[in-house]
Amino acid sequence: MGLSFSKVGIVGGTGGMGEWFANFLEKQGYDVYPVGRSTELTPKMMARLCDVVVISVPIPVTIQMIQTIGPFVKERRLLMDLTSIKQKPLEAMLAHTDAEVVGVHPLFGPVENAEGQRVAICQGRGNSGLKWVKKVFDTGKLKILEMEPKEHDRLMGLIQGVNHFSTLGLAHCIRSSGFSIDEIEKCSTSTFKRRLDRIYKLLEQPADLFGSLLIDNPESLNYIRLYRDVLNEMIPIIENKDHDAFQKLFYSLRGE
């Protein structure tokens, strides 16, 4: 017999993706209980009340929150998270609760309309919770990607780790170049202006958000090292003015 999930509590539900998920669920008719620093409702109180408990807090405190709240989420209920790393949070949830467990990573930031966006889902324990999570996102017309947590973290090590690392690296290079931002912007091509916009957008965010993506996912360092290695392979081509080697590399990257 399937379980009933009607009351959803969200730790971190007053900001960021937790707030987005609260609004997303409310539009589908669920009773949502957000918990934040300024709410009277505490995580433990909410865990006793709700059928579904969602952890949506910064990565560095996710495991601690799971350890604190997990024992209060009883069997025949659901404990899930919304973090960008999946293996360690899933292991912690499985270790600290008897409830059903699902790991979720929305592959986007807070948006007004998430239709067509992708969400990664990793099964932990039980089938009813997994079915409910899939139904919720299917109702919202999101694209569901089911995967193993290890596979997820390896992919995010490349997709998020190298992506953000290279953006920060370009920002560091610009600052070290000796040119002022005004000089750079005045002469920027449209392509480079888009790169600058990405840098500005990233640097507007809290540092610990990107620090966690780079440092707390152990797979990120592997792909950052790979990125360093391929750059070191490419630099001699430029140093040696080797047009033939450059064309060979260029066309190989096009799959030719």
Side-chain angles (χ1 to χ4, degrees):
M1 181 178 177
L3 306 184
S4 174
F5 302 118
S6 58
K7 296 179 180 179
V8 183
I10 305 176
V11 184
T14 58
M17 286 305 294
E19 184 178 17
W20 172 85
F21 195 47
N23 294 331
F24 181 74
L25 292 172
E26 285 175 344
K27 290 176 182 177
Q28 296 187 30
Y30 291 97
D31 295 325
V32 181
Y33 298 82
V35 176
R37 294 176 180 174
S38 60
T39 60
E40 292 185 10
L41 190 67
T42 67
K44 291 180 181 179
M45 291 166 56
M46 176 271 287
R48 293 188 180 99
L49 171 69
C50 293
D51 309 307
V52 179
V53 174
V54 183
I55 308 295
S56 182
V57 296
I59 293 172
V61 297
T62 293
I63 302 301
Q64 179 183 351
M65 181 57 68
I66 290 170
Q67 292 170 343
T68 299
I69 202 172
F72 295 91
V73 187
K74 300 304 181 184
E75 193 176 358
R76 299 183 63 78
R77 293 185 177 181
L78 171 63
L79 178 62
M80 58 180 284
D81 76 308
L82 295 181
T83 54
S84 302
I85 298 172
K86 293 275 67 77
Q87 189 167 7
K88 288 184 178 180
L90 266 169
E91 290 172 352
M93 288 190 287
L94 290 169
H96 292 280
T97 186
D98 293 324
E100 299 206 1
V101 169
V102 178
V104 175
H105 177 199
L107 302 177
F108 55 94
V111 291
E112 188 170 335
N113 181 9
E115 184 175 331
Q117 298 282 359
R118 294 178 173 85
V119 57
I121 296 177
C122 303
Q123 184 175 13
R125 177 191 296 131
N127 293 315
S128 295
L130 179 65
K131 287 175 64 176
W132 179 82
V133 170
K134 290 168 68 174
K135 182 186 76 171
V136 162
F137 288 115
D138 189 56
T139 300
K141 298 182 179 179
L142 278 76
K143 297 178 180 178
I144 296 170
L145 306 174
E146 291 188 71
M147 59 181 61
E148 294 297 318
K150 178 70 173 177
E151 177 192 13
H152 169 277
D153 287 359
R154 289 183 63 229
L155 282 164
M156 289 305 113
L158 175 63
I159 293 168
Q160 291 186 313
V162 174
N163 180 28
H164 298 318
F165 184 82
S166 63
T167 301
L168 287 169
L170 178 57
H172 200 347
C173 180
I174 289 171
R175 190 184 67 174
S176 303
S177 69
F179 293 111
S180 70
I181 289 297
D182 287 342
E183 290 175 305
I184 291 171
E185 287 188 340
K186 183 170 61 177
C187 292
S188 288
T189 63
S190 57
T191 301
F192 195 74
K193 182 63 168 63
R194 288 193 292 271
R195 295 292 300 276
L196 287 175
D197 289 342
R198 286 181 59 194
I199 291 172
Y200 297 151
K201 187 174 181 179
L202 185 148
L203 293 177
E204 287 173 354
Q205 306 300 314
D208 58 358
L209 171 62
F210 295 98
S212 296
L213 292 174
L214 293 170
I215 296 169
D216 293 330
N217 182 353
E219 300 293 339
S220 291
L221 184 58
N222 295 330
Y223 289 101
I224 289 170
R225 284 173 171 157
L226 176 61
Y227 183 61
R228 175 200 61 193
D229 292 344
V230 297
L231 290 179
N232 285 335
E233 290 176 6
M234 293 169 64
I235 288 172
I237 296 175
I238 309 303
E239 288 177 333
N240 297 329
K241 304 184 187 302
D242 192 336
H243 288 270
D244 290 339
F246 181 85
Q247 289 193 30
K248 182 178 179 180
L249 171 65
F250 188 90
Y251 289 119
S252 71
L253 294 174
R254 287 205 325 202
E256 298 179 9

